[in-house]
Amino acid sequence: MDATAAPTTPAERPTKKLSESSAYLAEIVGEESLFGTRMAAGAVLDTLDICAGYTAAKFSGSRVVTLAFDRVDLSHPILHQDLVRAEGRVVSVGRSSMVVHVRAYRQDLLSRQFELVQESYVTMVAVDEKLRPNPNIPAVVYDDAEEEKRINKILLSRKEANENWQQCQKIEDAINREGKLEFMSIPKTQVNVKRIFFPKNLNYHNTVFGGDILLWMDRVATQCARQFTRNRHVFTKHMQRVFFKQPILITDVVEMNARVVYVGKCTLEVEINVSLEWASGEVFESHSGYFTLLNCNEAGWKRPIITGLQLADDDQFFLRSYVQAKERRKLWKKWKVDERNDATSAKGENEAKFSLDE
């Protein structure tokens, strides 16, 4: 067999233990002049992406690119000048893809303890110099049967959640809107931005770094929510799945369209679609994402949103967008209940297997 050929069977692959796949990064984030004030969520999404890429590259010994982000839940805010630690480990390996479980912690100054603020599953793909999938990566071996059983249960739950998420995108039922003091149609909530990137935004593949894209998406989502609510005190609560369909090159013109597609009592969802205009003039869809933002007052307490969405029966496209967002909201609530139940039953074991003391 050619020494450079890809392994054709699992037995031909080198292996690494799950415990060998762990990696971490730590940094003091934000600006000294803004000490103690809340940071935008995009900065931490950027950190999670960097950690996932570092973990996957260290495990595979290959260049890697971000393929997809599962939802990201922000359980606590990140403040300027916080010490933030991001931890990752590879929990599953495909032919050239790796699923990385990443967690972000911030150190609380009063208790001096690290508290979990964000976590997600990120799919990274190993690539060669021409950005083609690289199947020459190790397989992952679990440290013991109990660990393998626990990880497989998480991966199965993740697969089912993703299938449910895809299914909820097809729902076209009629909707009932809640009463508000004023109304805007979905098209009027739209915020459109267009830009090019510079060499400082490139990774070592000469494509735009995925973390910079997520940071920009969070800024655009926040601006869209501020415009809709007429309130600058809105904060990202969580981000739904993001799937990168096209790499972004420095020669591409990148356009983002953000619009409010669902409004609750104190939260709203912003849908963002990203398109690329190549140097040839061709336009392609790159990726999309869904951000849930919380409306607050100046003191940081939740504040009801007084603006609602004006929906018309003859506009099926935006009706469908609203219903899909409503179903995503229901699905997210179900995920949280399931995760809370799983965490209660396996809290001690999980902390022992994946702790800051490792």
Side-chain angles (χ1 to χ4, degrees), residues 300-321:
W301 296 97
K302 291 190 293 185
R303 188 172 86 176
I305 299 171
I306 63 172
T307 307
L309 290 174
Q310 184 176 7
L311 302 166
D313 291 339
D314 58 354
D315 196 337
Q316 291 299 309
F317 177 80
F318 290 118
L319 281 176
R320 184 165 61 252
S321 296

Side-chain angles (χ1 to χ4, degrees), residues 43-68:
V44 188
L45 295 176
D46 189 12
T47 302
L48 289 179
D49 185 61
I50 294 173
C51 182
Y54 171 57
T55 303
K58 178 182 175 183
F59 176 83
S60 64
S62 170
R63 298 182 176 188
V64 296
V65 295
T66 307
L67 177 64

Side-chain angles (χ1 to χ4, degrees), residues 215-342:
L215 177 62
W216 190 32
M217 290 177 72
D218 179 65
R219 287 176 179 169
V220 175
T222 301
Q223 177 62 28
C224 184
R226 285 172 175 168
Q227 175 181 288
F228 181 80
T229 60
R230 307 187 201 212
N231 176 28
R232 68 187 193 84
H233 302 287
V234 293
F235 305 100
T236 300
K237 185 171 176 148
H238 64 265
M239 179 190 75
Q240 292 280 14
R241 182 177 173 84
V242 174
F243 185 84
F244 293 91
K245 299 176 182 177
Q246 297 279 352
I248 300 177
L249 307 177
I250 196 171
T251 55
D252 295 339
V253 178
V254 186
E255 183 172 3
M256 283 190 188
N257 287 292
R259 58 184 175 231
V260 177
V261 292
Y262 184 83
V263 181
K265 182 177 180 181
C266 298
T267 61
L268 56 82
E269 181 177 292
V270 175
E271 177 186 55
I272 298 182
N273 294 297
V274 184
S275 61
L276 309 178
E277 182 181 342
W278 289 359
S280 63
E282 297 176 274
V283 178
F284 294 89
E285 180 184 348
S286 173
H287 60 282
S288 59
Y290 303 90
F291 289 75
T292 298
L293 297 103
L294 178 66
N295 191 52
C296 298
N297 59 22
E298 293 182 356
W301 296 97
K302 291 190 293 185
R303 188 172 86 176
I305 299 171
I306 63 172
T307 307
L309 290 174
Q310 184 176 7
L311 302 166
D313 291 339
D314 58 354
D315 196 337
Q316 291 299 309
F317 177 80
F318 290 118
L319 281 176
R320 184 165 61 252
S321 296
Y322 182 91
V323 176
Q324 290 170 351
K326 191 172 184 178
E327 291 300 316
R328 284 192 294 270
R329 183 183 177 89
K330 291 180 182 177
L331 191 58
W332 177 80
K333 288 182 177 180
K334 180 179 181 299
W335 285 338
K336 296 302 292 182
V337 171
D338 291 344
E339 285 184 347
R340 193 178 300 116
N341 292 337
D342 290 342

Side-chain angles (χ1 to χ4, degrees), residues 15-32:
T15 60
K16 283 189 176 181
K17 290 185 177 181
L18 184 68
S19 57
E20 297 175 326
S21 74
S22 297
Y24 82 93
L25 297 171
E27 185 179 1
I28 300 170
V29 298
E31 303 293 333
E32 175 69 33

Side-chain angles (χ1 to χ4, degrees), residues 62-109:
S62 170
R63 298 182 176 188
V64 296
V65 295
T66 307
L67 177 64
F69 252 84
D70 279 10
R71 76 189 195 280
V72 180
D73 296 318
L74 290 84
S75 54
H76 295 280
I78 300 289
L79 307 180
H80 283 271
Q81 292 300 288
D82 272 351
L83 173 59
V84 175
R85 173 171 172 136
E87 298 186 346
R89 64 174 180 173
V90 176
V91 295
S92 178
V93 177
R95 186 172 184 272
S96 59
S97 64
M98 293 157 281
V99 177
V100 183
H101 183 202
V102 286
R103 288 179 171 180
Y105 300 82
R106 67 175 290 272
Q107 187 178 41
D108 181 73
L109 292 180

